[in-house]
Amino acid sequence: MSTKAPVSVKHAPAETLENLAYSIVADIPTREPNDRNRLGFCLWAWLQDRKGTLDETVRACGVRSDMDVEDIIRAIRKRLEERDPSLLGS
């Protein structure tokens, strides 16, 4: 039996919302990598649809971290403002 080569991954362009969301949460300490992935996904979904507030989104994603949720929200908000203030909407 032979093993096929893995499927190649096509990365999204650097300026996309996906890359922006995941890069913003990249260094937030989480208990497991999936917590960070979930936080990045929830941030991306919020940036796409703007359903609810950023605070509600971060709280709803259930990220497990040694950082307080308020500190996580503050860090994300600060990074969004640094990248592009219009990303926060108001």
Side-chain angles (χ1 to χ4, degrees), residues 2-10:
S2 66
T3 303
K4 292 182 180 181
V7 177
S8 62
V9 175
K10 183 178 178 185

Side-chain angles (χ1 to χ4, degrees), residues 25-72:
V25 302
D27 65 344
I28 291 179
T30 57
R31 293 193 186 150
E32 294 182 23
N34 266 353
D35 288 316
R36 189 174 306 105
N37 291 339
R38 187 171 54 254
L39 180 59
F41 176 81
C42 290
L43 179 59
W44 168 77
W46 181 78
L47 288 169
Q48 287 269 159
D49 299 330
R50 301 300 171 139
K51 292 183 180 172
T53 64
L54 178 62
D55 294 21
E56 293 168 343
T57 299
V58 173
R59 290 177 194 283
C61 82
V63 66
R64 295 172 296 170
S65 174
D66 292 333
M67 258 178 100
D68 186 48
V69 175
E70 294 296 327
D71 293 335
I72 293 172

Side-chain angles (χ1 to χ4, degrees), residues 65-82:
S65 174
D66 292 333
M67 258 178 100
D68 186 48
V69 175
E70 294 296 327
D71 293 335
I72 293 172
I73 294 168
R74 220 173 287 118
I76 291 172
R77 187 177 302 281
K78 180 182 176 207
R79 293 170 188 172
L80 284 170
E81 286 174 352
E82 288 171 355

